[in-house]
Coordinates of all heavy atoms in Angstrom, one line a residue:
S1 N 77.1 41.2 121.5 CA 76.9 41.4 120.1 C 76.4 42.8 119.7 O 77.0 43.4 118.8 CB 75.8 40.4 119.6 OG 76.2 39.0 119.8
L2 N 75.4 43.2 120.4 CA 74.9 44.7 120.1 C 75.9 45.7 120.6 O 76.1 46.7 119.9 CB 73.5 44.8 120.8 CG 72.8 46.2 120.5 CD1 72.7 46.5 119.1 CD2 71.5 46.2 121.2
T3 N 76.6 45.4 121.7 CA 77.5 46.4 122.3 C 78.6 46.7 121.2 O 78.9 47.8 121.0 CB 78.2 45.7 123.5 OG1 77.2 45.1 124.3 CG2 79.0 46.8 124.3
L4 N 79.1 45.6 120.5 CA 80.1 45.8 119.4 C 79.6 46.7 118.3 O 80.2 47.5 117.8 CB 80.6 44.4 118.9 CG 81.4 43.6 119.9 CD1 81.7 42.2 119.2 CD2 82.7 44.3 120.3
A5 N 78.3 46.4 118.0 CA 77.7 47.2 116.9 C 77.6 48.7 117.3 O 77.9 49.6 116.5 CB 76.4 46.7 116.5
L6 N 77.2 48.9 118.5 CA 77.1 50.3 119.0 C 78.4 51.0 119.0 O 78.5 52.1 118.7 CB 76.4 50.3 120.4 CG 74.9 49.8 120.4 CD1 74.5 49.6 121.8 CD2 74.0 50.7 119.7
A7 N 79.4 50.4 119.6 CA 80.7 50.9 119.7 C 81.3 51.1 118.2 O 81.9 52.1 118.0 CB 81.6 50.0 120.5
G8 N 81.0 50.2 117.3 CA 81.5 50.3 115.9 C 80.9 51.4 115.2 O 81.4 52.1 114.4
A9 N 79.7 51.9 115.7 CA 79.0 53.1 115.1 C 79.6 54.4 115.7 O 79.2 55.5 115.2 CB 77.5 53.1 115.4
G10 N 80.5 54.3 116.7 CA 81.1 55.5 117.3 C 80.5 56.0 118.6 O 81.0 56.9 119.1
A11 N 79.6 55.2 119.2 CA 79.0 55.6 120.4 C 79.8 55.3 121.6 O 80.5 54.3 121.7 CB 77.6 55.0 120.6
S12 N 79.6 56.1 122.7 CA 80.1 55.7 123.9 C 79.0 54.9 124.7 O 77.8 55.2 124.7 CB 80.4 56.9 124.8 OG 81.4 57.7 124.2
V13 N 79.4 53.6 125.2 CA 78.3 52.7 125.7 C 78.6 52.4 127.1 O 79.7 52.0 127.6 CB 78.3 51.4 124.8 CG1 77.3 50.4 125.4 CG2 78.3 51.6 123.3
L14 N 77.5 52.5 127.9 CA 77.4 52.0 129.3 C 76.6 50.7 129.2 O 75.4 50.8 129.0 CB 76.8 53.0 130.2 CG 76.6 52.5 131.7 CD1 77.8 52.0 132.3 CD2 75.8 53.6 132.4
A15 N 77.2 49.6 129.4 CA 76.6 48.3 129.3 C 76.3 47.7 130.7 O 77.3 47.5 131.4 CB 77.4 47.3 128.4
V16 N 75.0 47.6 131.1 CA 74.7 47.1 132.4 C 74.1 45.7 132.3 O 73.1 45.4 131.7 CB 73.7 48.0 133.0 CG1 73.1 47.5 134.4 CG2 74.2 49.4 133.1
E17 N 74.9 44.8 132.9 CA 74.5 43.3 132.9 C 74.2 42.9 134.3 O 75.0 43.0 135.3 CB 75.7 42.6 132.3 CG 75.5 41.0 132.3 CD 74.2 40.6 131.6 OE1 74.0 41.0 130.4 OE2 73.5 39.8 132.2
L18 N 73.2 42.1 134.4 CA 72.8 41.6 135.7 C 73.5 40.3 136.1 O 73.9 40.1 137.2 CB 71.3 41.4 135.7 CG 70.6 40.5 137.0 CD1 70.8 41.4 138.2 CD2 69.2 40.2 136.7
D19 N 73.7 39.4 135.2 CA 74.2 38.1 135.4 C 75.8 38.1 135.6 O 76.5 38.3 134.5 CB 73.9 37.2 134.3 CG 74.1 35.7 134.5 OD1 74.8 35.4 135.5 OD2 73.8 34.9 133.7
R20 N 76.2 37.8 136.8 CA 77.7 37.9 137.1 C 78.4 36.7 136.3 O 79.6 36.9 136.0 CB 77.8 37.6 138.6 CG 77.3 38.7 139.4 CD 77.6 38.5 141.0 NE 77.0 39.4 141.9 CZ 77.6 40.6 142.1 NH1 78.9 40.8 141.7 NH2 77.1 41.4 143.0
H21 N 77.7 35.6 135.9 CA 78.3 34.6 135.2 C 78.7 35.0 133.8 O 79.6 34.4 133.2 CB 77.4 33.3 135.3 CG 77.2 32.8 136.6 ND1 76.0 33.2 137.3 CD2 77.8 32.0 137.5 CE1 76.0 32.6 138.4 NE2 77.1 31.9 138.6
V22 N 78.0 36.0 133.2 CA 78.2 36.4 131.9 C 79.2 37.4 131.7 O 79.9 37.6 130.8 CB 76.9 36.9 131.2 CG1 77.1 37.5 130.0 CG2 75.8 35.7 131.2
L23 N 79.4 38.1 132.9 CA 80.4 39.3 132.9 C 81.8 39.0 132.3 O 82.3 39.8 131.5 CB 80.5 39.9 134.2 CG 79.4 40.8 134.7 CD1 79.7 41.2 136.1 CD2 79.2 42.0 133.8
P24 N 82.5 37.9 132.7 CA 83.8 37.6 132.2 C 83.8 37.5 130.7 O 84.7 38.0 130.0 CB 84.2 36.3 132.8 CG 83.4 36.3 134.1 CD 82.1 37.0 133.8
A25 N 82.8 36.8 130.1 CA 82.7 36.6 128.6 C 82.4 38.0 128.0 O 83.0 38.3 127.0 CB 81.6 35.6 128.3
L26 N 81.6 38.7 128.5 CA 81.3 40.1 127.9 C 82.6 40.9 128.0 O 82.8 41.7 127.1 CB 80.1 40.8 128.7 CG 79.8 42.2 128.4 CD1 79.4 42.4 127.0 CD2 78.7 42.7 129.4
E27 N 83.2 41.0 129.1 CA 84.4 41.9 129.3 C 85.5 41.4 128.3 O 86.2 42.2 127.8 CB 84.8 41.7 130.7 CG 83.9 42.5 131.7 CD 84.3 42.3 133.1 OE1 85.0 41.3 133.5 OE2 83.8 43.2 133.9
S28 N 85.6 40.2 128.1 CA 86.7 39.7 127.1 C 86.3 40.1 125.7 O 87.1 40.4 124.9 CB 86.8 38.1 127.1 OG 85.6 37.4 126.5
V29 N 84.9 40.2 125.4 CA 84.5 40.6 124.0 C 84.9 42.0 123.8 O 85.2 42.5 122.7 CB 83.0 40.3 123.8 CG1 82.5 40.9 122.6 CG2 82.9 38.7 123.7
V30 N 84.5 42.9 124.8 CA 84.6 44.3 124.5 C 86.0 44.9 125.0 O 86.2 46.1 124.8 CB 83.4 45.1 125.3 CG1 82.1 44.6 124.8 CG2 83.6 44.9 126.8
A31 N 86.9 44.1 125.5 CA 88.2 44.6 125.9 C 88.9 45.3 124.8 O 89.1 44.8 123.6 CB 89.1 43.4 126.4
G32 N 89.3 46.6 125.0 CA 90.0 47.3 123.9 C 89.1 47.8 122.8 O 89.7 48.3 121.8
V33 N 87.8 47.7 123.0 CA 86.9 48.1 121.9 C 86.3 49.4 122.2 O 85.6 49.5 123.1 CB 85.8 47.0 121.6 CG1 84.8 47.6 120.6 CG2 86.4 45.7 121.1
G34 N 86.7 50.5 121.4 CA 86.0 51.7 121.6 C 85.9 52.3 122.9 O 86.8 52.0 123.9
D35 N 84.8 52.9 123.3 CA 84.5 53.6 124.5 C 83.4 52.7 125.1 O 82.2 53.2 125.1 CB 84.3 55.1 124.4 CG 84.0 55.7 125.8 OD1 84.1 55.1 126.8 OD2 83.6 56.9 125.8
V36 N 83.7 51.7 125.8 CA 82.7 50.8 126.3 C 83.0 50.6 127.9 O 84.1 50.2 128.2 CB 82.7 49.5 125.7 CG1 81.6 48.5 126.4 CG2 82.3 49.5 124.2
T37 N 82.0 50.9 128.7 CA 82.0 50.6 130.1 C 81.1 49.6 130.5 O 79.9 49.6 130.1 CB 81.8 51.9 130.9 OG1 82.6 52.9 130.6 CG2 81.9 51.6 132.4
V38 N 81.5 48.5 131.2 CA 80.6 47.4 131.6 C 80.5 47.5 133.1 O 81.4 47.7 133.9 CB 81.3 46.0 131.3 CG1 80.5 44.9 131.9 CG2 81.5 45.8 129.8
E39 N 79.2 47.5 133.6 CA 78.9 47.4 135.0 C 77.9 46.3 135.2 O 77.0 45.9 134.4 CB 78.2 48.8 135.3 CG 79.1 50.0 135.3 CD 78.6 51.3 135.9 OE1 77.5 51.1 136.6 OE2 79.2 52.3 135.9
Q40 N 78.0 45.7 136.4 CA 77.1 44.7 136.9 C 76.1 45.4 137.7 O 76.4 46.2 138.6 CB 77.9 43.6 137.7 CG 77.0 42.4 138.0 CD 76.1 42.5 139.2 OE1 76.3 43.3 140.1 NE2 75.0 41.8 139.1
G41 N 74.8 45.1 137.4 CA 73.8 45.6 138.3 C 72.4 45.3 137.7 O 72.2 44.8 136.6
D42 N 71.3 45.6 138.5 CA 70.0 45.4 138.2 C 69.4 46.7 137.6 O 69.3 47.7 138.3 CB 69.2 44.9 139.5 CG 67.8 44.4 139.2 OD1 67.3 44.8 138.1 OD2 67.2 43.7 139.9
A43 N 68.9 46.7 136.4 CA 68.3 47.8 135.8 C 67.0 48.3 136.5 O 66.6 49.4 136.3 CB 68.0 47.5 134.3
L44 N 66.4 47.5 137.3 CA 65.2 47.9 138.1 C 65.6 48.6 139.4 O 64.7 49.1 140.1 CB 64.3 46.7 138.3 CG 63.7 46.1 137.0 CD1 62.9 44.9 137.4 CD2 62.8 47.1 136.3
E45 N 66.9 48.6 139.7 CA 67.3 49.1 141.0 C 68.4 50.1 141.0 O 68.5 51.0 141.8 CB 67.9 48.0 141.9 CG 66.8 46.9 142.3 CD 67.3 45.9 143.2 OE1 68.5 45.9 143.6 OE2 66.5 44.9 143.5
L46 N 69.2 50.2 139.9 CA 70.3 51.1 139.8 C 69.8 52.6 139.8 O 68.8 52.8 139.1 CB 71.2 50.8 138.6 CG 72.0 49.5 138.6 CD1 72.8 49.3 137.4 CD2 73.1 49.7 139.7

């Protein structure tokens, strides 16, 4: 939801998601949308 708003404002977005189960849904939402890169990882370790 927020990723789309950020991309819609013109930003390049690096979206880091921990939950592997959510990734397919997230990737389907942002596919072809602006400059968005999705990565799986733990923000406390990357």
Side-chain angles (χ1 to χ4, degrees):
S1 295
L2 179 55
T3 317
L4 292 178
L6 296 169
S12 299
V13 183
L14 171 60
V16 176
E17 174 57 49
L18 173 63
D19 189 355
R20 296 179 183 274
H21 300 95
V22 170
L23 282 179
L26 173 62
E27 289 170 342
S28 72
V29 167
V30 303
V33 172
D35 183 5
V36 177
T37 301
V38 174
E39 291 190 9
Q40 192 278 331
D42 187 339
L44 294 175
E45 297 180 1
L46 286 175

